[in-house]
Amino acid sequence: MRILLAALLGLLILLTPTGLALAEPDPAEQAQQQIQTIEGQANVVRVELANLNLELEKVVEHHNTTRFQLDQLTMQLADSRHLLDNASAQYDAQEKLMSDRLEAVYRAGEVNIVSVLINSNSLSDFYEQTLYMSKINEQDAKLEKQFKESANNIRTLTDDIDRKRSMQMSLERELGNQKEQIQTGIAERQKRIEQLDGQVREIFAREAERAR
């Protein structure tokens, strides 16, 4: 019985190193598992990168549209300001004309019904002169009112275009910031993929060295 136990114990001692050796992980399998883990991480980053590229395309398209609209508004604003300058100049000229006429009347002495009547050759002539003076004054006032209304309308339009342009400029800046943020995210993920590819190359190099 003792002989049998001793034999079994000896056999166990002989088999123990072999069993430990079998329990050790295979370096090749370890390398394969590491590569699979890295590839899984890289695939996640690639999906994120693809989504960011799609988002960038949308933002760039929106940014380009906004830039075009901003350019259009800038040209409209320039045209509107030009029209406003002309309308304001017309109003100023008409206002000066009326002022000059009033000044001429003041210098020549107040024109009244009596003076017109004295200088008239007949009642018909008197009526025509007074009617003529009335029409001139009425036409001057009408023109001044028209020029003033035109200038006000153009000024309102100009202010509206300027407001829209300011909104477009704000939107363009916001889209520009979004574009920069997305591009930064893309660059970071591209760098991460390069790092993961480098890790895979290191594993291959290490396995190649080990296999020698």
Side-chain angles (χ1 to χ4, degrees):
M1 185 64 179
R2 291 180 179 177
I3 297 174
L4 179 59
L5 290 174
L8 290 174
L9 182 59
L11 181 61
L12 182 60
I13 293 173
L14 291 174
L15 292 177
T16 298
T18 305
L20 291 175
L22 291 175
E24 292 180 359
D26 184 7
E29 291 181 359
Q30 278 188 321
Q32 185 63 30
Q33 290 175 357
Q34 290 176 349
I35 291 174
Q36 289 176 353
T37 300
I38 293 172
E39 282 297 324
Q41 295 174 355
N43 287 336
V44 172
V45 177
R46 290 188 185 99
V47 171
E48 294 176 353
L49 186 59
N51 292 334
L52 284 174
N53 280 321
L54 289 176
E55 187 176 354
L56 180 61
E57 289 180 5
K58 294 178 182 178
V59 171
V60 169
E61 183 178 358
H62 193 185
H63 183 270
N64 291 339
T65 301
T66 302
R67 179 73 254 182
F68 174 78
Q69 293 173 348
L70 179 59
D71 291 340
Q72 294 294 108
L73 287 170
T74 300
M75 290 187 291
Q76 291 177 18
L77 183 61
D79 293 340
S80 183
R81 283 176 175 169
H82 179 68
L83 292 175
L84 178 60
D85 290 341
N86 290 339
S88 298
Q90 287 179 330
Y91 171 73
D92 292 340
Q94 183 63 23
E95 191 175 40
K96 185 177 184 305
L97 176 62
M98 293 184 65
S99 177
D100 291 344
R101 282 179 179 172
L102 288 174
E103 183 179 356
V105 170
Y106 175 79
R107 288 181 177 179
E110 185 177 358
V111 179
N112 51 42
I113 299 298
V114 176
S115 63
V116 173
L117 181 60
I118 294 175
N119 294 324
S120 299
N121 297 325
S122 63
L123 186 61
S124 176
D125 186 29
F126 165 74
Y127 174 75
E128 289 180 357
Q129 289 189 48
T130 55
L131 181 62
Y132 174 73
M133 291 175 59
S134 175
K135 285 184 176 180
I136 289 178
N137 292 333
E138 181 181 349
Q139 185 67 21
D140 284 345
K142 184 178 180 180
L143 286 175
E144 183 185 27
K145 182 180 179 181
Q146 289 178 348
F147 290 143
K148 185 176 182 179
E149 289 178 350
S150 177
N152 289 337
N153 290 336
I154 296 175
R155 184 176 292 105
T156 299
L157 176 62
T158 302
D159 292 341
D160 183 60
I161 294 174
D162 196 18
R163 179 182 58 81
K164 291 179 180 178
R165 182 174 178 272
S166 296
M167 293 175 62
Q168 288 296 108
M169 290 177 65
S170 178
L171 178 59
E172 186 192 32
R173 287 192 296 268
E174 180 181 345
L175 291 171
N177 292 334
Q178 291 181 15
K179 180 181 176 182
E180 290 180 2
Q181 292 175 0
I182 294 173
Q183 289 175 333
T184 299
I186 290 175
E188 290 174 350
R189 283 157 179 81
Q190 289 175 337
K191 183 178 180 181
R192 179 57 179 160
I193 289 178
E194 291 176 359
Q195 291 174 345
L196 293 172
D197 288 341
Q199 292 178 14
V200 172
R201 287 193 297 269
E202 288 178 1
I203 293 173
F204 280 133
R206 186 172 63 244
E207 286 302 301
E209 183 67 23
R210 188 183 62 82
R212 289 180 182 178

